[in-house]
Amino acid sequence: MTSSAPRLRFGIIADPQYAAAEPDLRLDRYFVNSLDKLSEAVRRLNAEDLDFVLTLGDVIDRGFENFDAVLSVYAGLRHECLFLPGNHDFKVEEARLGEVHGRLGMAAPYYDLVRNGCRIVVIEGSDISLFAPPPGDPRRATAEEMLRALQQAGAVNAQTWNGGVGAAQLVWLSERLALAEEAGETVIVMGHYPLFPHNEHNLWNAEEVAGLLVRSPAVAAYFCGHNHTGNYGELGGTHFVNFRGMVDTERENAFALVEVFDDRIDITGFGREPSRRLALR
């Protein structure tokens, strides 16, 4: 029997990537226009009864000062506003790298929350990277080693603008999934970097993290941004949804409304974002 009422309703935004900068015509990215697109998304999402709105990273394109303008638009949301950072959010002065999570209102780089039998698990894919840890942090050396190994293996995601999930975070993620399984919760994991299908934008240790999610009977889906053209894959009954970037194109928007039912997840896309119905195992 199909459930009549959703257990959870929330908004998803990916890659607004705002900056007070000229457009990148080669990549079809219009940084300034994201403020108007975001305002439209806020108006549309404010018309809904939602549990929260979550942005899948790259709130800015560069420059710590650009957080002010874009976060002032988010302030118009009447819903709880959740964030996770993307690689571009760390394109700031080195002295301010440690301020990025706090500027996005995050108490920790990765976190989870439980609402009505659903657990939202937010991971930090820039944990091991060449740009997010401050200079001198041992995670930068780990990132160099991880990237070198991928390059030697000829991996398409051996890109300096990707990152990885570190050992401590993997332990934490396993613990959160175990808690969800014990409680009989439905889990949606959120991150910036794709895990599946195979793509040049994927997390450095995408296969390891995807395997962890697929092995957990609690995990229904993984949502991400980063690859602005969007993508979708299904692996072992787990849905991997890559949402399209808001910053792309001069006029077209991209955001979504997500409803979680007992038997499915419905995604209503706006603008360039396609709508989907995902059956749950």
Side-chain angles (χ1 to χ4, degrees):
M1 175 180 285
T2 301
S3 309
S4 58
R7 295 160 60 189
L8 201 64
R9 299 182 89 237
F10 58 90
I12 284 285
I13 295 167
D15 301 86
Q17 221 164 301
Y18 168 73
E22 291 298 311
D24 185 331
L25 300 180
R26 181 179 63 88
L27 294 176
D28 201 21
R29 294 178 183 174
Y30 291 78
F31 309 108
V32 172
N33 296 14
S34 285
L35 293 185
D36 287 339
K37 294 179 185 179
L38 189 58
S39 294
E40 179 190 355
V42 166
R43 287 193 298 271
R44 183 63 188 83
L45 294 173
N46 275 347
E48 302 286 342
D49 290 324
L50 303 178
D51 293 277
F52 56 84
V53 174
L54 190 145
T55 298
L56 294 164
D58 283 359
V59 177
I60 60 169
D61 180 73
R62 75 202 91 146
F64 199 88
E65 70 281 358
N66 284 312
F67 279 121
D68 290 344
V70 69
L71 291 178
S72 70
V73 179
Y74 276 104
L77 275 170
R78 68 182 185 92
H79 311 295
E80 182 178 9
C81 193
L82 302 175
F83 290 100
L84 61 91
N87 54 307
H88 280 271
D89 294 311
F90 294 103
K91 291 184 74 171
V92 299
E93 304 92 325
E94 285 188 344
R96 309 203 77 165
L97 285 172
E99 301 176 40
V100 171
H101 293 103
R103 189 68 184 90
L104 294 174
M106 301 170 62
Y110 42 93
Y111 61 96
D112 65 340
L113 58 143
V114 179
R115 303 283 166 82
N116 199 24
C118 298
R119 186 180 293 260
I120 303 299
V121 180
V122 176
I123 64 172
E124 171 56 285
S126 302
D127 182 18
I128 306 297
S129 66
L130 300 177
F131 46 81
D137 190 303
R139 290 176 297 165
R140 286 213 178 192
T142 302
E144 290 173 358
E145 293 170 8
M146 188 178 289
L147 179 58
R148 190 179 306 115
L150 287 168
Q151 289 170 336
Q152 291 172 351
V156 296
N157 63 327
Q159 307 290 344
T160 57
W161 30 263
N162 291 332
V165 170
Q169 187 179 172
L170 286 171
V171 170
W172 173 86
L173 177 57
S174 297
E175 291 171 347
R176 305 329 282 176
L177 298 183
L179 285 174
E181 291 167 21
E182 186 178 350
E185 296 162 347
T186 298
V187 175
I188 299 176
V189 182
M190 310 278 196
H192 182 62
Y193 304 91
L195 302 180
F196 181 83
H198 199 47
N199 187 272
E200 66 176 357
H201 293 85
N202 284 16
L203 190 78
W204 284 343
N205 51 342
E207 290 183 11
E208 182 179 16
V209 178
L212 191 61
L213 303 190
V214 170
R215 287 192 297 273
S216 172
V219 178
Y222 175 77
F223 290 170
C224 69
H226 191 49
N227 176 7
H228 293 200
T229 58
N231 209 346
Y232 169 79
E234 183 269 328
L235 187 64
T238 302
H239 301 281
F240 292 82
V241 184
N242 187 161
F243 290 83
R244 297 184 181 185
M246 178 177 277
V247 70
D248 297 74
T249 79
E250 186 174 8
R251 301 291 175 204
E252 284 187 284
N253 213 335
F255 61 98
L257 168 67
V258 180
E259 297 176 293
V260 182
F261 296 84
D262 292 336
D263 61 343
R264 71 188 191 278
I265 297 174
D266 284 347
I267 299 174
T268 303
F270 297 89
R272 294 167 45 247
E273 185 60 47
S275 296
R276 307 178 191 271
R277 172 160 289 186
L278 313 174
L280 300 186
R281 56 183 173 179

